[in-house]
Amino acid sequence: MTQILHHLRGQFSHLIVPAGLVAVLLLICAFRSPQLFSAVGAAGAILVSAPLILAAMAITPIAMAGRGGVDLSIGPAIGFINVTIVTWLTSWGFESPVAVFVFAIVVGCIWQILLASMIVFVRVSPIIVSLAGFMILSGVNLVILPRPGGLAPDWLSDWGYGTELFSPVLFVLIAAFVLWFLFQRTAMFQHIRLMGADEKTAYTVGININVVRFAAHLSAGVLTGLAAVCLTGLIGSGDPSQGNTLTLQAITALVLGGTSLAGGRGGVVGSILGAIAMYLIFVVLSSFDFGAISGFMTQMSYGLILVLSLLLTLVATRPKPAAV
Amino acid sequence: MLKRLAVAALSLPLALSLNNAANAEGLDELPPELAAAYEGVDEGQPVGPSKYRDWTPRSGPPWKIGYASSYAGNTWRAEGMTRLMDVMLPQYKEAGLVSEVKVTQSDLNDARQIQQIRQLVDEGVDAIIICCSNPVALNKAVKYAYDKGVVVFSYSGYLTSDFALNASSNYTDGGYQIAKALIEEVGGKGNFLLVSGIPGAASSESFDTGARRALEEFPDAKLVGQVAGNWTDQVAQTEVQKFLATNPAKIDGIIAQGSQETGILKAVLQSGRDVMPISLAGSAGAACYLKKNPGWISHAFQIWPPGDEMELGFNSVIRTLQNQGPKVQSILRPVYRVEAADYVASLPEDCSIDSTAYIQPGIDIWFDNERAAGYFLRPKDPLE
């Protein structure tokens, strides 16, 4: 029994800190911002946090695949899909939900295939590839849509009211979770973990590491598309610079969730908890009035909580010395 | 295709007549000199009759006001915040109109700003002011506020929602007039550099649209470059330095958006070139150079004086809460031009060109009771 517990603790140890953080923040919210626990408040929370949750989920498999793969381009990629939905897709006359979802997911996957090809065939380090991608797409987004504007299809911008708890946004999130947990049961997912933990070993035991890396990026592409649809629903329009802010937030959520940037350890549950924690930190801080310095207070608190959580994660995930 | 064209041709006069019908309430009620300021406005800016013509808040005074600020990282924002917290808040508190102002900050992130607007509404504020944000992204949050009896007022930029109110200058017209005046200053021809604000930000793009319109009117005026100064002196200085270092051609004038002309001037001084005319729009540092070098440029403009813009927004919010009934969705103040001598009059003799302060017309010129009366159905001095 204790062995099983030990094993579980080993497998889920990286979730202790983010789960604890979310619990503590929920407790503070109960006092500071009780509205969050009403149906309307929860609906608003789901609406606003969905793009970040999905973006954090999207970069998780790439980080798990190792080589220090942090997808810096995630934000502008989401931004790219957002601006192309409101400019290209609507001008082509495709406004149905099916068209929007298919378009978003396909574009997300194409982008990730491009990144993976650069990493696998040109052998450039993932961080450099995704940094270049960040810069390229940041510029491209401004060319496509020089200023915030355009209109999302009506059915999509109606998501933005966020007053119904059982909203399309919630169903998109649930669908993403279900897809992920199905993916987690495949051998491919185990290969991603193994490759992230030790690429040489994975190669030696006969795993086709190139295919595995493409699989990690493709799963990220699907989630990128879903994140972009949720962002478009939230702002009901296109915004060339909005996506960029998601990159740092998604990486913060990923790290808060205990996923190791060195690859191997971690998982999407941590990233989801990390994203929820970031949202709650923000709600708690917004409930105070810091007057003219509130912006700086928010940033500072963010930084401090992040550092503290990382320290705690370090302690929680440290391997115990074997009992003699 | 032909059929489509026919439908379009038929529907155009219909749309125009509908527009006129809508304008019978709203723009048509404005005094002609104020209505003139709506010429050439951004096509996205809503100028129909406001939803608040006969609107009363849930309770009060005193009212609780939320300020869902989107950014705090430059002198322009800081100046607006100072005016709000240190000048207006005590004034309005004493008058028994405002109980508190709660400030939130979203660091240019739409999702956060949406969250904060909803949170402010849930906390029971009576009105929310915002500044210069994405014109569409906040619309659903504005509706959320409206449904709960809270008015959202955007100053220094606009929201496209029918349930929002807006107050600012006409920035497209501002860009047009500022560029035109500068081109005329150097004789209607020559090479010009355009220093924009933040690419992608609505006010910045509006200004540029107007400036290009002016450039088209002068066939001999050539735009040889465009850089983004982010409305921040340091950024503008670096960008203009880089441009001047890599473009040996003579620059006859620099068309600049406000809040960064001091940085631009410094870059020109450092480059060793003769100082060409630069658009002036309220930065005290560059204004000081004008005071010490009379004749450098004959005029200045004010289209977004930071404190006065904030005061225009806040003043309009209080009037709306007092059931004064704003006629139009957007209060557009005409572009303000001032001659050089008057512009520098308030500066001390020992001013510094390094100053990061602003010269502002002051609310008595910017939005006095007489001017405000034109925009409201039942105007009165809000502080009386």
Side-chain angles (χ1 to χ4, degrees):
Chain A
M1 185 67 204
T2 47
Q3 266 186 330
I4 293 175
L5 274 178
H6 249 301
H7 174 73
L8 277 179
R9 193 184 167 283
Q11 198 169 0
F12 295 114
S13 63
H14 69 277
L15 296 180
I16 295 170
V17 173
L21 183 62
V22 168
V24 169
L25 286 165
L26 281 172
L27 197 66
I28 301 173
C29 278
F31 292 103
R32 295 291 318 173
S33 187
Q35 174 73 16
L36 183 66
F37 300 95
S38 68
V40 173
I46 291 165
L47 168 76
V48 174
S49 56
L52 176 59
I53 291 175
L54 290 162
M57 284 174 76
I59 60 173
T60 308
I62 298 175
M64 287 172 69
R67 287 204 207 168
V70 185
D71 185 4
L72 298 175
S73 75
I74 182 78
I78 290 171
F80 176 80
I81 301 171
N82 162 249
V83 297
T84 49
I85 286 176
V86 303
T87 50
W88 299 354
L89 207 59
T90 49
S91 68
W92 299 333
F94 292 112
E95 294 206 349
S96 70
V98 174
V100 170
F101 273 99
V102 168
F103 173 83
I105 290 170
V106 167
V107 173
C109 289
I110 291 174
W111 174 249
Q112 288 295 350
I113 288 171
L114 282 173
L115 291 186
S117 306
M118 289 289 291
I119 294 164
V120 168
F121 301 125
V122 192
R123 297 183 176 274
V124 188
S125 139
I127 190 120
I128 304 296
V129 173
S130 69
L131 178 63
F134 178 97
M135 292 173 179
I136 292 167
L137 285 184
S138 301
V140 166
N141 293 350
L142 275 167
V143 172
I144 296 172
L145 192 69
R147 58 196 288 186
L151 286 173
D154 286 345
W155 62 268
L156 185 53
S157 58
D158 284 347
W159 290 13
Y161 287 120
T163 47
E164 298 291 326
L165 187 54
F166 294 100
S167 61
V169 186
L170 181 66
F171 297 134
V172 170
L173 280 175
I174 292 171
F177 300 159
V178 170
L179 278 175
W180 180 265
F181 287 109
L182 290 175
F183 177 57
Q184 235 179 352
R185 306 187 77 87
T186 60
M188 182 57 82
F189 181 80
Q190 299 308 326
H191 292 170
I192 291 177
R193 285 189 59 183
L194 178 58
M195 181 177 81
D198 190 344
E199 197 163 337
K200 271 206 182 86
T201 307
Y203 180 77
T204 319
V205 298
I207 292 172
N208 185 336
I209 55 171
N210 290 351
V211 170
V212 172
R213 195 165 294 282
F214 270 102
H217 279 268
L218 271 177
S219 58
V222 173
L223 291 162
T224 306
L226 294 179
V229 175
C230 286
L231 178 70
T232 310
L234 172 66
I235 63 177
S237 59
D239 192 325
S241 57
Q242 244 352 271
N244 300 11
T245 58
L246 273 169
T247 289
L248 278 182
Q249 290 184 67
I251 294 170
T252 310
L254 176 89
V255 176
L256 266 181
T259 295
S260 160
L261 294 183
R265 193 194 73 223
V268 78
V269 175
S271 301
I272 295 167
L273 286 171
I276 292 172
M278 285 182 69
Y279 172 79
L280 293 176
I281 290 169
F282 187 70
V283 170
V284 169
L285 287 174
S286 296
S287 73
F288 290 92
D289 187 0
F290 296 117
I293 56 159
S294 73
F296 315 123
M297 280 303 291
T298 309
Q299 293 293 44
M300 197 177 75
S301 317
Y302 250 138
L304 286 173
I305 292 169
L306 184 63
V307 170
L308 267 175
S309 305
L310 287 178
L311 285 173
L312 286 170
T313 303
L314 213 64
V315 174
T317 55
R318 182 180 299 164
K320 286 267 183 297
V324 180
Chain B
M1 186 68 208
L2 271 177
K3 198 169 157 193
R4 256 198 211 172
L5 277 176
V7 170
L10 282 174
S11 59
L12 191 66
L14 187 71
L16 285 175
S17 65
L18 277 177
N19 250 344
N20 288 341
N23 283 350
E25 248 194 3
L27 276 188
D28 284 9
E29 296 167 299
L30 295 182
E33 72 275 13
L34 295 184
Y38 290 74
E39 289 292 317
V41 69
D42 262 27
E43 53 189 53
Q45 177 133 14
V47 290
S50 90
K51 292 254 187 236
Y52 296 85
R53 294 166 66 88
D54 196 23
W55 179 86
T56 43
R58 292 162 304 187
S59 62
W63 294 292
K64 184 177 172 184
I65 312 282
Y67 174 32
S69 165
S70 54
Y71 183 62
N74 62 20
T75 53
W76 190 94
R77 300 275 189 155
E79 178 66 32
M81 189 70 100
T82 306
R83 177 80 66 95
L84 173 67
M85 295 315 238
D86 301 352
V87 181
M88 282 154 24
L89 184 55
Q91 231 180 355
Y92 283 83
K93 256 188 178 161
E94 199 174 320
L97 292 170
V98 173
S99 58
E100 66 167 307
V101 169
K102 185 177 170 187
V103 181
T104 61
Q105 200 74 259
S106 64
D107 291 310
L108 299 177
N109 183 322
D110 291 345
R112 285 187 193 173
Q113 204 173 1
I114 289 167
Q115 168 61 31
Q116 284 168 330
I117 289 173
R118 293 173 68 118
Q119 221 170 322
L120 286 167
V121 171
D122 293 342
E123 284 173 13
V125 300
D126 298 287
I128 295 173
I129 33 178
I130 64 152
C131 160
C132 33
S133 302
N134 174 322
V136 187
L138 309 178
N139 285 1
K140 294 292 190 285
V142 168
K143 181 69 170 55
Y144 180 84
Y146 177 83
D147 289 342
K148 298 207 170 188
V150 178
V151 57
V152 177
F153 215 115
S154 167
Y155 82 92
S156 192
Y158 64 88
L159 300 177
T160 54
S161 168
D162 283 346
F163 301 95
L165 291 171
N166 312 289
S168 66
S169 299
N170 179 342
Y171 297 139
T172 316
D173 190 39
Y176 170 78
Q177 291 202 37
I178 287 174
K180 188 173 175 205
L182 189 89
I183 299 168
E184 284 170 348
E185 185 93 4
V186 298
K189 60 180 192 299
N191 293 336
F192 293 89
L193 169 68
L194 172 62
V195 186
S196 303
I198 296 179
S203 338
S204 177
E205 300 290 337
S206 300
F207 183 103
D208 291 355
T209 306
R212 286 176 195 286
R213 209 177 283 163
L215 277 155
E216 280 166 16
E217 291 180 10
F218 296 91
D220 297 329
K222 207 166 130 229
L223 187 65
V224 290
Q226 180 176 354
V227 296
N230 288 11
W231 295 314
T232 309
D233 282 322
Q234 294 78 355
V235 179
Q237 185 174 348
T238 315
E239 291 299 318
V240 174
Q241 266 172 347
K242 280 196 281 193
F243 181 86
L244 293 176
T246 50
N247 291 274
K250 182 167 187 280
I251 305 290
D252 298 289
I254 298 182
I255 302 163
Q257 295 193 16
S259 308
Q260 50 192 16
E261 59 258 37
T262 303
I264 298 168
L265 172 70
K266 282 187 187 166
V268 174
L269 289 169
Q270 282 165 340
S271 74
R273 298 187 187 210
D274 294 339
V275 179
M276 68 292 285
I278 299 170
S279 313
L280 297 182
S283 296
C288 178
Y289 183 83
L290 175 62
K291 191 171 182 103
K292 292 179 173 170
N293 300 276
W296 170 41
I297 186 166
S298 67
H299 62 272
F301 283 89
Q302 294 276 15
I303 57 169
W304 48 54
D308 295 349
E309 284 250 85
M310 171 66 92
E311 194 150 354
L312 162 64
F314 197 80
N315 181 298
S316 304
V317 162
I318 300 295
R319 287 173 185 271
T320 306
L321 287 165
Q322 289 172 332
N323 184 239
Q324 294 192 23
K327 296 173 184 172
V328 194
Q329 278 173 278
S330 299
I331 292 173
L332 280 185
R333 197 213 175 282
V335 173
Y336 177 72
R337 178 183 166 133
V338 53
E339 297 314 305
D342 299 335
Y343 181 63
V344 298
S346 65
L347 284 172
E349 284 305 326
D350 60 345
C351 64
S352 154
I353 68 162
D354 295 318
S355 168
T356 55
Y358 286 88
I359 302 179
Q360 301 186 61
I363 197 72
D364 296 338
I365 288 180
W366 197 246
F367 202 64
D368 57 327
N369 284 326
E370 199 180 332
R371 180 181 297 280
Y375 296 100
F376 290 88
L377 293 162
R378 296 170 292 277
K380 70 179 182 79
D381 182 346
L383 282 163
E384 261 171 22

